[in-house]
Amino acid sequence: MRSFNRRAVLQAGAAGAIVSLLPDSGLTQSAGETETHGLSAFGELKYPTGFKHFDYVNPQAPKGGALVLQIKQTTGNQNFDTFNTLNIYVLRGDGAAGMGATFDSLMAGSGDEPDALYGLVARSVRVSADKLTYRFILRPEARFHDGSKLTAKDAAFSLNVLKEKGHPVYRALLTQMASAEAEADDVLRVQFTPQRSRDLHLVVAGLPILSERYWQGKDFEASTLEAPLGSGPYKVGKFETGRFIEFERVPDYWAKDLPVNVGQNNFDRIRWEYFRDRTVAFEAFKNGTLNYHEEYTSRIWSTGYDFPAVREGKVKKEEISNDSPATIQGWYFNTRREAFKDPRIREAIGLAFDFEWTNANIMFGLYKRTTSYFENSDMKATGMPSPEELALLEPFRSQLPASVFGEPPVPPVSDGSGQDRRLLRRADELLRAAGCKREGGTLKLPNGQPFRIEFLDFQAALQPHTQPFQANLKRLGIDAFSRVVDAAQYQRRMEEFDFDMASRNLVGGSTPGDSLRVVYGSQAAKTPGSRNIAGISHPAVDTLVETIANAESRQELNTACRALDRILRSGHYWVPMWYRASEWIAYWDQFSRPERKPRFGSGAPGTWWYDAEKAKRIGRG
């Protein structure tokens, strides 16, 4: 999935950059080890030893003001509508937005590169010749917020506790970490198993560093409203459970002048507001309660920004291009349930969704249809399989559908009527071929039970898109309906895989690796709380995920991803939705920004800063 800078405030505490090692990036040799200031995948590091700051920041950016926004992306145990714990790294509870900004990691990511990390707590890393031992050399000045020293013992404790007691995502990612121990206060030694995946050392480098002393005598897996001791650029301020949480910039933050931080973390205060309804959230932006807003609803983007503050120039609206792979959004089937085990049934259900009608009538024609699990990237499968792809697929030919070895399946283009009879007839044929029978107006499954599908969600924003889809399913005799539950119940049901179909928006990445294991792997399919909500479990998928995680070149990576894409698309594990290769943002005109943005992202609002003069001009100073 997409590589995140975990500490960036705009990512709502994402889990960390997941990248891989560059075999030749200005490294120096010492005692049989190779030492480097940064790590990257398949190419030279952009920034050399001794670089001063990233090119896309303003190193003189002033500090001050407040950023007020709504959570738009989640990680770990977070959900969009509420929170009841300040520990986001375990399964229990609903984690608060923004907590990632209170913790430092060994290394931090660059927005100019798809998969690069540079030293943060670790000033450098020494790599053994067999790449099974990594020694991270820590900065002696690293400190927690209470002034206590951050040492290799804290880093070792963090990795071990996340592997043993952390959220299932972290446990899965750290499976091939054999040990983590402190050789000295400033030397963390991490040992990997011989089966280690390509990206594992950078998973380690991007995870949060927790205080061992703070957690002594505490239950790491329990929910808590006591802010865990951190070392990052922000610390927890005021909050009301389920309503808002504020973070205060740490003025004497120990790492504020490091190259990976210069020009960032510019707001004195960051406040995350929670809303159970998107309409209410947008009204909060219009009245100035929120001052930054990323829009996801095409109807609002097209028609909702004609309010006084926009007309008066107080609110700005922009579309900013993004070179990152598209997000993977769709309605996912729970294939653990008997009704969805047959791929013909899943394919038939997908034929009932009329994207062309939905895009034209509900989304103002602003979207493209998602067809691939690696949409908008070179990893997307196209045409017939290449010889290199076939070499990966052939060992599993007897276990795979014939479509894997032809043109990759794509969703059909409808006539735009909303109920394309040709596609519905084809869906009916597939359902009958799978053993379903029609009795009057009711379709019955092969076991004789009426076919019912509950679409689970925690908010009603997608109802206009889902209801026409459900209407077509009813024409096929399927009792399709929505159940919108509160966020906490939704979270629990998804963690326990207690659903028929559910919408999910997964974030793509330029260099996928270990993270695919927790999204598509067989072990994750049976692990409560994992991201493999579809229940995908196939030996070919597992093998290709490992091939991707261990690819030694971009070409190898692309080939393996294309092969995996063919298998997943032929499995019809989802009904793909739509995407756009840009970000829609709106904000009250009280910010300034650097002259250029990072290549892989908008830079908003992480590289922005509060502009007192602008705020005064619009009456918000």
Side-chain angles (χ1 to χ4, degrees):
M1 317 319 291
R2 175 182 297 172
S3 297
F4 286 110
N5 177 350
R6 180 184 52 79
R7 299 170 46 262
V9 298
L10 67 162
Q11 299 301 352
I18 298 177
V19 291
S20 59
L21 179 67
L22 171 69
D24 181 15
S25 56
L27 310 181
T28 60
Q29 296 290 333
S30 175
E33 296 178 326
T34 304
E35 184 167 352
T36 177
H37 70 293
L39 303 169
S40 177
F42 314 133
E44 297 289 341
L45 289 168
K46 174 177 179 177
Y47 296 96
T49 303
F51 77 99
K52 301 301 183 183
H53 56 80
F54 294 134
D55 290 347
Y56 52 83
V57 304
N58 173 11
Q60 282 80 46
K63 309 296 184 183
L67 175 71
V68 188
L69 67 172
Q70 180 190 13
I71 185 171
K72 297 290 186 177
Q73 295 172 342
T74 61
T75 187
N77 61 6
Q78 294 172 330
N79 80 50
F80 294 101
D81 286 3
T82 190
F83 73 93
N84 53 33
T85 181
L86 301 185
N87 184 0
I88 68 171
Y89 300 113
V90 296
L91 181 60
R92 193 175 302 168
D94 299 305
M99 286 300 301
T102 68
F103 299 100
D104 278 320
S105 52
L106 291 165
M107 307 184 85
S110 159
D112 267 348
E113 300 155 283
D115 39 36
L117 289 178
Y118 296 90
L120 179 54
V121 170
R123 61 176 174 82
S124 65
V125 56
R126 296 172 185 163
V127 187
S128 65
D130 62 5
K131 296 183 174 60
L132 296 181
T133 304
Y134 287 74
R135 286 181 172 85
F136 293 90
I137 313 305
L138 275 59
R139 302 180 193 272
E141 66 268 30
R143 292 289 186 275
F144 287 104
H145 292 152
D146 65 354
S148 60
K149 189 173 181 179
L150 189 162
T151 72
K153 289 184 178 180
D154 297 299
F157 163 77
S158 304
L159 294 171
N160 289 321
V161 78
L162 288 171
K163 179 180 178 179
E164 296 167 10
K165 300 181 179 181
H167 191 280
V169 168
Y170 303 118
R171 297 187 198 185
L173 289 173
L174 294 171
T175 300
Q176 296 165 344
M177 184 188 77
S179 64
E181 58 185 16
E183 291 187 335
D185 275 358
D186 64 342
V187 181
L188 168 70
R189 181 179 184 272
V190 181
Q191 187 74 33
F192 300 137
T193 67
Q195 298 77 28
R196 56 138 316 161
S197 61
R198 183 198 66 230
D199 295 347
L200 182 55
H201 55 302
L202 294 163
V203 172
V204 165
L207 290 175
I209 298 177
L210 313 169
S211 166
E212 180 181 32
R213 180 175 58 84
Y214 171 84
W215 283 104
Q216 285 179 350
K218 295 182 173 69
D219 181 0
F220 183 73
E221 296 177 276
S223 295
T224 178
L225 290 175
E226 177 182 302
L229 180 62
S231 61
Y234 289 88
K235 61 182 179 181
V236 175
K238 298 184 297 182
F239 65 88
E240 290 185 22
T241 305
R243 292 191 58 197
F244 73 88
I245 182 167
E246 289 187 359
F247 295 87
E248 300 169 353
R249 186 173 60 84
V250 179
D252 58 349
Y253 171 43
W254 74 271
K256 61 184 175 64
D257 296 322
L258 292 182
V260 294
N261 283 325
V262 169
Q264 302 185 79
N265 309 310
N266 299 321
F267 299 102
D268 279 350
R269 183 168 56 90
I270 299 171
R271 178 178 172 117
W272 299 90
E273 293 277 358
Y274 279 83
F275 301 92
R276 296 184 182 274
D277 183 272
R278 288 189 184 182
T279 301
V280 175
F282 185 58
E283 291 300 318
F285 172 69
K286 289 166 64 175
N287 67 31
T289 300
L290 304 177
N291 58 20
Y292 177 88
H293 179 68
E294 185 171 359
E295 186 59 69
Y296 289 93
T297 305
S298 56
R299 175 183 57 82
I300 295 177
W301 186 249
S302 296
T303 66
Y305 286 84
D306 185 21
F307 54 91
V310 174
R311 293 193 293 269
E312 295 165 6
K314 296 179 178 180
V315 167
K316 302 295 185 181
K317 174 188 173 190
E318 293 186 48
E319 182 171 356
I320 302 178
S321 62
N322 190 331
D323 290 340
S324 297
T327 56
I328 313 304
Q329 183 173 346
W331 289 281
Y332 288 81
F333 297 103
N334 184 0
T335 63
R336 303 168 187 83
R337 299 204 162 169
E338 190 64 33
F340 304 112
K341 289 190 179 297
D342 193 319
R344 292 171 295 183
I345 290 178
R346 302 195 295 266
E347 181 181 0
I349 292 170
L351 292 173
F353 173 57
D354 191 329
F355 168 76
E356 284 66 35
W357 183 92
T358 303
N359 194 34
N361 290 275
I362 297 177
M363 301 190 297
F364 297 85
L366 297 176
Y367 285 88
K368 298 178 181 179
R369 183 74 191 269
T370 299
T371 63
S372 166
Y373 287 80
F374 300 97
E375 192 64 67
N376 198 42
S377 79
D378 292 337
M379 297 173 284
K380 176 180 178 178
T382 58
M384 298 296 289
S386 66
E388 294 78 13
E389 291 173 59
L390 287 173
L392 297 173
L393 295 168
E394 281 292 351
F396 302 96
R397 182 179 280 272
S398 64
Q399 302 173 60
L400 294 170
S403 58
V404 170
F405 298 90
E407 298 272 350
V410 295
V413 176
S414 77
D415 62 10
S417 66
Q419 43 185 296
D420 189 315
R421 293 185 179 183
R422 175 181 57 87
L423 296 181
L424 293 177
R425 279 196 301 269
R426 174 58 181 154
D428 184 68
E429 292 169 0
L430 285 168
L431 291 167
R432 292 179 186 276
C436 297
K437 295 181 180 179
R438 188 76 175 259
E439 292 185 7
T442 301
L443 185 73
K444 292 195 172 181
L445 292 163
N447 62 12
Q449 295 297 313
F451 200 166
R452 303 176 74 248
I453 302 176
E454 178 187 271
F455 286 71
L456 183 67
D457 211 332
F458 62 92
Q459 54 187 6
L462 281 176
Q463 288 305 295
H465 313 72
T466 307
Q467 288 169 352
F469 180 16
Q470 293 170 340
N472 276 340
L473 291 174
K474 290 175 182 177
R475 293 184 177 94
L476 295 170
I478 300 172
D479 180 15
F481 60 96
S482 294
R483 187 171 304 281
V484 180
V485 299
D486 65 75
Q489 184 180 351
Y490 174 84
Q491 184 85 343
R492 298 292 85 76
R493 288 187 60 177
M494 295 302 294
E495 290 172 350
E496 297 167 5
F497 307 129
D498 180 19
F499 69 97
D500 293 335
M501 292 182 69
S503 62
R504 183 60 65 92
N505 190 358
L506 300 175
V507 181
S510 299
T511 310
D514 293 301
S515 55
L516 294 185
R517 192 182 299 118
V518 300
V519 181
Y520 304 126
S522 296
Q523 183 62 39
K526 54 187 178 184
T527 303
S530 85
R531 295 296 184 263
N532 189 348
I533 61 172
I536 299 168
S537 181
H538 196 290
V541 171
D542 292 338
T543 298
L544 285 171
V545 165
E546 294 307 312
T547 302
I548 292 166
N550 290 285
E552 296 181 356
S553 69
R554 179 68 62 180
Q555 183 177 356
E556 289 182 15
L557 178 78
N558 288 346
T559 297
C561 286
R562 292 167 190 159
L564 176 61
D565 194 30
R566 292 178 187 278
I567 295 175
L568 295 176
R569 288 160 70 175
S570 294
H572 300 285
Y573 295 107
W574 67 342
V575 179
M577 289 182 176
W578 46 81
Y579 76 97
R580 51 183 168 82
S582 61
E583 297 177 25
W584 294 340
I585 62 170
Y587 53 92
W588 285 80
D589 191 21
Q590 59 193 77
F591 307 113
S592 286
R593 69 179 91 173
E595 292 182 359
R596 56 154 292 189
K597 73 177 189 66
R599 178 183 175 188
F600 295 98
S602 66
T607 63
W608 293 16
W609 60 90
Y610 175 78
D611 189 315
E613 288 300 317
K614 286 185 176 180
K616 184 177 180 180
R617 283 200 297 269
I618 66 171
R620 294 174 63 87

